[in-house]
Amino acid sequence: MHNFEKLVFWQKSIELAKQVYIICVELPKDEKFGLISQIKRSVISIPSNIAEGAGRNNDKEFYHFLGIANASSFELQTQLILTRELNLLEAEKVNGLISNLNEIQRMIYTFKSNLKK
């Protein structure tokens, strides 16, 4: 088992989730059950799957859950791009979130590569 709270990419994904929740307030109310709901589910899935994988019995299972977390990160990235393309959020804000997300994606990829060795 790994202590997920000490993993920097888990910490960064928690911070990203907080940022995303704050920015979701700026989205149109009619997106509450559409895009907002999807964005929130995706962003919460990232640290949740990291934590779940860390608590599993072996590194193979952890590797699997990191894959799920990474997939959720790409889902979130797509949704954020859509908000930018639809001019629902300022491009600068979205680009900052995507930059943070890309850093998390790289960190997960690197950690997964080291787990596999």
Side-chain angles (χ1 to χ4, degrees):
M1 285 193 347
H2 297 265
N3 184 344
F4 66 89
E5 291 180 273
K6 291 186 178 179
L7 297 171
V8 174
F9 55 91
W10 178 85
Q11 295 167 1
K12 288 182 178 286
S13 66
I14 287 292
E15 185 57 37
L16 179 68
K18 292 185 324 191
Q19 293 169 352
V20 166
Y21 263 73
I22 290 167
I23 206 168
C24 277
V25 173
E26 299 176 27
L27 289 167
K29 298 290 184 226
D30 64 339
E31 287 295 337
K32 182 176 183 181
F33 299 108
L35 197 51
I36 294 171
S37 177
Q38 279 297 121
I39 288 171
K40 287 181 175 181
R41 279 198 302 273
S42 296
V43 77
I44 289 300
S45 178
I46 300 167
S48 297
N49 277 291
I50 293 167
E52 184 171 354
R56 291 297 175 134
N57 296 323
N58 57 54
D59 285 349
K60 183 178 178 182
E61 289 181 283
F62 192 14
Y63 185 92
H64 172 74
F65 279 91
L66 290 173
I68 295 169
N70 213 30
S72 293
S73 76
F74 283 100
E75 183 180 354
L76 174 63
Q77 185 172 350
T78 299
Q79 294 155 356
L80 291 172
I81 290 168
L82 184 58
T83 65
R84 185 183 61 206
E85 297 296 315
L86 292 172
N87 296 312
L88 298 175
L89 292 171
E90 292 176 32
E92 188 176 302
K93 289 181 181 180
V94 174
N95 292 342
L97 293 172
I98 290 174
S99 178
N100 293 343
L101 184 58
N102 291 157
E103 180 183 15
I104 294 165
Q105 290 165 338
R106 286 189 298 274
M107 293 175 88
I108 291 172
Y109 178 81
T110 300
F111 193 85
K112 281 181 69 180
S113 295
N114 290 331
L115 269 182
K116 202 159 196 166
K117 291 180 181 177

